[in-house]
Amino acid sequence: KQEVTQIPAALSVPEGENLVLNCSFTDSAIYNLQWFRQDPGKGLTSLLLIQSSQREQTSGRLNASLDKSSGRSTLYIAASQPGDSATYLCAAYTGTASKLTFGTGTRLQVTL
Amino acid sequence: EPEVTQTPSHQVTQMGQEVILRCVPISNHLYFYWYRQILGQKVEFLVSFYNNEISEKSEIFDDQFSVERPDGSNFTLKIRSTKLEDSAMYFCASRSWDGNTEAFFGQGTRLTVV
């Protein structure tokens, strides 16, 4: 059974810092890995999708990498801003139904 | 841009009542999913649906739950007799046929059972 873990659970950084969020998964037989953002009480906003054949994806200040063999993905956020404050979730696609298994998230606070 | 639409956005129901949560997936998608997120917990898979039948379900998806695609456009989740612990945000998702494509999520229905 796929287990997805995210470290750290919470992170507070001053504005402008670069930061890395970590995600690990136990079953390397994944199709894709996806990073989401969730604001309090809100839905899931897709940030980046990394397909199994890719090693990284970039969108603006965000860069996500995937190492299937070690069961890890990282989300790098450059020059953090207060508007980046949210919970970041990673999720792995596995199984014949390509269902998503989510991590517990990293709650990020970017302070002025 | 096509999107997955869920209704209602909020629903309050009394314990023991039946609820139906509705979703309109993206029109050319073939795989449909329901997930739930209890407040403060992680998003959990409930069920996947393909070719008019359940393709996979979790241990959470017991006999109290059912899914249906009644008219080729809507995808519904029914909870027969709601319990307090069914209070959660429920997310619908859909994706195309290729295993490498992305699942698109609706904005969720917040269900509160009182």
Side-chain angles (χ1 to χ4, degrees):
Chain A
K1 182 184 171 188
Q2 180 72 274
E3 300 281 346
V4 179
T5 304
Q6 292 187 247
I7 295 173
L11 183 63
S12 181
V13 300
E15 182 180 14
E17 270 204 12
N18 302 324
L19 57 103
V20 175
L21 308 182
N22 296 293
C23 171
S24 61
F25 45 94
T26 54
D27 183 355
S28 62
I30 65 170
Y31 294 108
N32 305 326
L33 187 130
Q34 193 163 359
W35 284 90
F36 295 86
R37 169 187 171 134
Q38 186 175 35
D39 292 291
K42 302 295 185 183
L44 305 171
T45 300
S46 178
L47 297 173
L48 289 164
L49 172 77
I50 313 174
Q51 296 188 357
S52 59
S53 58
Q54 298 173 323
R55 292 190 68 85
E56 66 178 82
Q57 276 283 3
T58 298
S59 176
R61 294 182 294 109
L62 305 180
N63 175 276
S65 67
L66 174 63
D67 184 345
K68 282 182 60 177
S69 60
S70 66
R72 292 183 194 173
S73 177
T74 61
L75 178 67
Y76 175 82
I77 303 177
S80 57
Q81 303 169 358
D84 295 331
S85 298
T87 296
Y88 291 80
L89 306 175
C90 74
Y93 288 77
T94 51
T96 52
S98 285
K99 69 177 186 288
L100 279 163
T101 302
F102 283 81
T104 47
T106 294
R107 191 171 68 252
L108 172 66
Q109 183 173 12
V110 181
T111 57
L112 290 169
Chain B
E1 186 175 318
E3 60 180 14
V4 177
T5 305
Q6 290 186 242
T7 55
S9 56
H10 294 90
Q11 178 144 7
V12 180
T13 189
Q14 291 204 327
M15 195 167 52
Q17 294 296 305
E18 174 183 287
V19 294
I20 297 176
L21 309 183
R22 301 181 192 279
C23 170
V24 179
I26 294 172
S27 62
N28 63 344
H29 283 187
L30 300 178
Y31 293 85
F32 313 108
Y33 306 84
W34 285 100
Y35 293 83
R36 81 170 184 192
Q37 185 180 33
I38 295 171
L39 187 64
Q41 298 186 22
K42 63 180 172 181
V43 179
E44 301 172 290
F45 167 75
L46 289 178
V47 65
S48 61
F49 192 85
Y50 170 71
N51 201 25
N52 284 319
E53 61 183 20
I54 291 173
S55 52
E56 188 172 348
K57 61 182 180 179
S58 71
E59 58 271 16
I60 302 168
F61 194 88
D62 60 20
D63 292 343
Q64 292 284 83
F65 292 91
S66 62
V67 289
E68 197 176 37
R69 190 156 158 80
D71 56 13
S73 61
N74 290 286
F75 179 51
T76 61
L77 174 69
K78 182 192 292 186
I79 310 175
R80 277 184 246 290
S81 178
T82 49
K83 306 178 194 127
L84 294 176
E85 53 265 37
D86 293 327
S87 296
M89 182 79 98
Y90 288 81
F91 294 106
C92 172
S94 70
R95 71 173 180 87
S96 185
W97 63 272
D98 183 333
N100 271 328
T101 58
E102 179 178 353
F104 291 83
F105 281 77
Q107 282 306 295
T109 292
R110 181 169 298 286
L111 176 65
T112 302
V113 182
V114 297

